[in-house]
Amino acid sequence: MLGLLGFYDELDNRSGQPNGSIRDAVQPVGEPDETDLVAYLDAGHVLIDVMEA
């Protein structure tokens, strides 16, 4: 399922962002293959990078 990424209340001065509080997104334990996923992403190349104001 696709969703918006990075729109949290703490990262903007407007409350009620689509993802609510970033604190709610923190998990006590990572995914079983998290180390492999991070290594895969770190080895990749950026194709496009967009920052919205």
Side-chain angles (χ1 to χ4, degrees), residues 7 19 28 30 32 34 39 46:
F7 291 89
N19 294 331
E34 183 173 338
V46 176

Side-chain angles (χ1 to χ4, degrees), residues 23-53:
R23 290 175 178 86
D24 297 334
V26 176
Q27 298 178 5
V29 178
E31 298 295 326
D33 57 350
E34 183 173 338
T35 303
D36 294 334
L37 290 170
V38 171
Y40 171 78
L41 293 172
D42 283 342
H45 301 282
V46 176
L47 295 177
I48 187 170
D49 190 357
V50 177
M51 184 172 180
E52 296 182 23

Side-chain angles (χ1 to χ4, degrees), residues 3-14:
L4 293 173
L5 180 64
F7 291 89
Y8 297 102
D9 290 340
E10 293 84 0
L11 304 177
D12 198 336
N13 60 359
R14 296 171 289 173

